[in-house]
Amino acid sequence: MNILIIDDEKFIREGVKRTIASAFSDANIRIAGSAHEAVDLIEATMMDIILLDIKMPGMSGLELLGQYRKLNQRTKWIVISAYSDFYFAQEALRCGARDYLLKPVGKPKLQQLITEMQLEIQEERKEESQRLSANHLSELLEEPGKEPDLIDIAMQYIQANFDDNLTLEKVAATIYLNPVYFSQLFKQKTGRGFKDYVIELRMNRAKKLLEKPRLRVSDVAERVGYQDMRYFTQVFRKTFCITPTEYRKGLGLQQT
């Protein structure tokens, strides 16, 4: 779960970060001291939850929310403000904020809200995966004179979701096959094992993302499905006989 905290007051953003980290140890939490600083993070990483102050120097929180909410409709926005004025709350909700919290933010309330959003995100991802699989299967079944190729459907699903926590069991379930039988069919169809196929997709995508200097190596790792950057580096080195950082240096790009 990727979370971004935006507040021009350091002790506020650090405090909110500690509160979330104490309850969600596996969350990837980033912080920014201004809306402008946050823009690069939002454009580089798909954020699940963004918490932002309503008034900051330069671009305000409402302006940032209004401009970037459309970039990813799935992102949950939480506005944090010292202003209890109903106008600000109304504007925040009108711009698409999920909730409006007053400073100082209570620890139990914030953790409860993040928990609720985490469950929403998990359910949305599950529904989308099921819809994707069902849509592909339905389209193939509706084509006259053509039997559905379940492995083709599985490959399309993998290509659309390889940045997620993808397992053989999960993919097999989308086409209603036994995992062992699916594994055999997949290798027969593609000539490669499921794991090798997924790694190849992820590594080729990682090479393209590494060509973007503004993305950190850790950001690239997350965007291709690896939460552990060290493991990502090991897989990349094993695949290309070079580390991600060395690959960037070979392209003449500045390490980030």
Side-chain angles (χ1 to χ4, degrees), residues 64-73 75 77 95-97:
L64 180 69
L65 171 58
Q67 290 183 29
Y68 281 88
R69 183 176 176 273
K70 294 180 180 179
L71 183 67
N72 181 8
Q73 297 284 348
T75 300
W77 295 74
C95 290

Side-chain angles (χ1 to χ4, degrees), residues 35-139:
H36 290 293
E37 183 183 345
V39 166
D40 287 340
L41 294 173
I42 293 172
E43 292 181 347
T45 303
M46 186 176 292
M47 296 296 172
D48 296 302
I49 300 173
I50 297 178
L51 303 95
L52 74 166
D53 190 8
I54 202 166
K55 280 199 170 184
M56 294 179 286
M59 185 189 298
S60 73
L62 288 180
E63 290 174 321
L64 180 69
L65 171 58
Q67 290 183 29
Y68 281 88
R69 183 176 176 273
K70 294 180 180 179
L71 183 67
N72 181 8
Q73 297 284 348
R74 298 179 190 171
T75 300
K76 315 293 184 185
W77 295 74
I78 304 172
V79 171
I80 301 176
S81 175
Y83 299 91
S84 58
D85 192 315
F86 178 69
Y87 167 77
F88 289 114
Q90 189 178 43
E91 281 298 294
L93 296 175
R94 186 185 65 80
C95 290
R98 171 68 165 69
D99 215 321
Y100 187 93
L101 302 178
L102 289 176
K103 297 179 182 178
V105 180
K107 183 175 180 179
K109 181 173 179 57
L110 178 58
Q111 291 180 343
Q112 179 184 353
L113 183 57
I114 298 297
T115 298
E116 292 173 359
M117 290 185 172
Q118 183 182 45
L119 292 174
E120 288 178 13
I121 291 167
Q122 291 172 348
E123 185 61 29
E124 288 169 0
R125 287 177 176 172
K126 180 181 177 181
E127 290 177 358
E128 182 177 354
S129 295
Q130 292 174 341
R131 184 168 56 250
L132 176 65
S133 177
N135 285 345
H136 281 311
L137 186 57
S138 176
E139 288 172 4

Side-chain angles (χ1 to χ4, degrees), residues 7 49 56 88 105 127 142 154 180 199 215 235-237 245:
D7 198 300
I49 300 173
M56 294 179 286
F88 289 114
V105 180
E127 290 177 358
E142 289 173 0
V180 175
I199 288 175
L215 289 180
V235 176
F236 192 94
R237 180 190 290 154
T245 300

Side-chain angles (χ1 to χ4, degrees), residues 10 40 80 87-88 108 120 171 187 190 195 232 234:
K10 183 177 181 180
D40 287 340
I80 301 176
Y87 167 77
F88 289 114
E120 288 178 13
V171 178
K187 190 164 187 178
T190 67
K195 184 178 179 180
F232 164 70
Q234 292 172 3

Side-chain angles (χ1 to χ4, degrees), residues 26 42 66 70 79 89 101 114 143 159 162 186 192 220:
D26 59 340
I42 293 172
K70 294 180 180 179
V79 171
L101 302 178
I114 298 297
E143 291 185 30
Q159 290 164 11
F162 68 84
F186 189 89
R192 286 168 291 178
V220 173

